[in-house]
Amino acid sequence: MADGSKIRELPKGYSDTPVIPGTTWRVHDIDRPPPPVVEPPTFSTQDHAGRPPSDAVVLFDGTNLDAWEGRNGAASWNLVDGGAMEVAPRTGDIRTKESFGSCQLHVEWSAPTAIHADSQGRGNSGVFLLGLYEVQVLDGYQNATYADGLPGAVYGQYPPLVNACVAPGAWHVYDIVFETPEYDGETLVSPAFMTVFHNGLIVQHRQQVQGPTKHRQLASYDKPHGPAGPLVLQDHGDPVRFRNIWLRPIDSFLAT
Ligand code: MG
């Protein structure tokens, strides 16, 4: 200890305790490997983006769009002040060069302060896991629209549990856990699940997703796809901004 006093040493585990059902480990097993040490992220403020955790795949830190591509090659969205990027309307969606499956995803976004339309015409964008499953981005602050199109919605399927929107121009934070669906050939073995926190509030609680996102149609899993795909950000014609985007792949949700 800093003050030079001796600390009292206690057991670091046990080898005479019962085995935990479903595992090979004993209760408080002394041989059970510890998890990796990760330096946690720092929180963002309205003025400054936080720092990603030490084990994250950093997809956007404000300096460049190197992790992204657009429909004609390089991503053509604009780098703007505040370590952010902005949708260049009608240049198309952008997607990561790398593909991801089940993951923890952190995304921050802000809606434009200039308002030219209401409902789905106000600050519309989206975060698409695997390029298929949309968590809606929209300026939902005092803006009437259909519930399953609000921010934090699994678009067209499940409204957010609450509307946690801040005013246009302010930064929103999404923390998303996505569990990728599994197919055996043409047969769906396990659907996708989404957990979403919007500005720190849970808005999707391990929601079972009905299939890739559709507009004005029912979703289904009738078109099998692989377990991974790019992360896509939507160009819906509005200059929505994004910052501090990072992702942590999760190989398995079944801890051993
Ligand atoms: Mg959208």
Coordinates of all heavy atoms in Angstrom, one line a residue, residues 120 123-128 134-138 149 155 234 236, ligand 1:
Q120 N -41.5 11.9 -40.6 CA -40.3 11.2 -41.0 C -39.3 12.0 -41.9 O -38.3 11.5 -42.3 CB -40.7 9.9 -41.8 CG -41.4 8.9 -40.9 CD -40.5 8.2 -39.8 OE1 -39.4 7.7 -40.2 NE2 -40.9 8.3 -38.6
G123 N -34.8 15.1 -39.7 CA -33.6 14.5 -39.1 C -33.6 13.0 -39.2 O -33.2 12.3 -38.3
N124 N -34.0 12.5 -40.4 CA -34.1 11.0 -40.6 C -32.8 10.5 -41.0 O -32.1 11.0 -41.9 CB -35.2 10.7 -41.6 CG -35.6 9.2 -41.6 OD1 -34.8 8.3 -41.2 ND2 -36.8 9.0 -42.0
S125 N -32.3 9.4 -40.3 CA -31.2 8.6 -40.8 C -31.4 7.2 -40.2 O -32.6 6.9 -39.9 CB -29.9 9.2 -40.3 OG -28.8 8.5 -40.8
G126 N -30.4 6.5 -40.0 CA -30.6 5.2 -39.4 C -29.3 4.4 -39.3 O -28.3 4.7 -40.0
V127 N -29.3 3.5 -38.3 CA -28.1 2.7 -38.1 C -28.5 1.3 -38.4 O -29.4 0.7 -37.8 CB -27.7 2.8 -36.6 CG1 -26.5 1.8 -36.3 CG2 -27.3 4.2 -36.2
F128 N -27.9 0.7 -39.5 CA -28.3 -0.7 -39.9 C -27.2 -1.7 -39.6 O -26.1 -1.7 -40.1 CB -28.5 -0.7 -41.4 CG -29.7 0.0 -41.9 CD1 -29.9 1.4 -42.0 CD2 -30.8 -0.8 -42.4 CE1 -31.0 2.0 -42.4 CE2 -32.0 -0.2 -42.9 CZ -32.1 1.2 -42.9
E134 N -32.5 -2.0 -39.0 CA -32.4 -0.6 -38.7 C -32.8 -0.3 -37.3 O -34.0 -0.6 -36.9 CB -33.2 0.2 -39.7 CG -33.0 1.7 -39.4 CD -33.8 2.7 -40.3 OE1 -34.8 2.2 -40.9 OE2 -33.4 3.9 -40.4
V135 N -31.9 0.4 -36.6 CA -32.3 1.2 -35.4 C -32.5 2.6 -36.0 O -31.6 3.2 -36.5 CB -31.3 1.2 -34.3 CG1 -31.7 2.1 -33.1 CG2 -31.0 -0.2 -33.8
Q136 N -33.8 3.1 -35.8 CA -34.1 4.4 -36.5 C -33.4 5.5 -35.8 O -33.2 5.6 -34.6 CB -35.6 4.6 -36.4 CG -36.1 6.0 -36.9 CD -36.0 6.2 -38.4 OE1 -35.0 5.8 -39.0 NE2 -36.9 6.8 -38.9
V137 N -32.9 6.5 -36.6 CA -32.4 7.8 -36.2 C -33.4 8.8 -36.8 O -33.7 8.8 -38.0 CB -31.0 8.0 -36.7 CG1 -30.6 9.5 -36.5 CG2 -30.0 7.1 -36.0
L138 N -33.9 9.7 -35.9 CA -34.9 10.7 -36.3 C -34.9 11.8 -35.3 O -34.6 11.5 -34.1 CB -36.3 10.0 -36.4 CG -37.4 10.9 -37.0 CD1 -37.4 10.8 -38.5 CD2 -38.8 10.5 -36.5
G149 N -41.5 4.4 -35.8 CA -40.5 5.2 -36.6 C -39.7 6.2 -35.8 O -39.0 7.0 -36.3
Y155 N -37.1 -0.2 -36.6 CA -38.0 0.4 -37.5 C -39.0 -0.5 -38.1 O -38.7 -1.6 -38.6 CB -37.1 1.1 -38.6 CG -38.0 1.9 -39.6 CD1 -38.4 3.2 -39.3 CD2 -38.4 1.4 -40.8 CE1 -39.2 3.9 -40.1 CE2 -39.2 2.1 -41.7 CZ -39.6 3.4 -41.3 OH -40.4 4.1 -42.2
Q234 N -27.6 5.6 -42.8 CA -28.5 5.9 -43.8 C -28.5 7.4 -44.3 O -28.5 8.3 -43.4 CB -29.9 5.6 -43.3 CG -31.0 5.8 -44.4 CD -32.4 5.5 -43.7 OE1 -32.7 5.9 -42.6 NE2 -33.2 4.8 -44.5
H236 N -31.0 9.6 -45.6 CA -32.4 9.8 -45.9 C -32.7 11.2 -46.3 O -33.8 11.7 -46.2 CB -33.2 9.4 -44.6 CG -34.6 9.1 -44.9 ND1 -35.6 10.0 -45.1 CD2 -35.2 7.8 -45.0 CE1 -36.8 9.4 -45.3 NE2 -36.6 8.1 -45.2
Ligands
MG1 MG -34.3 6.0 -41.1

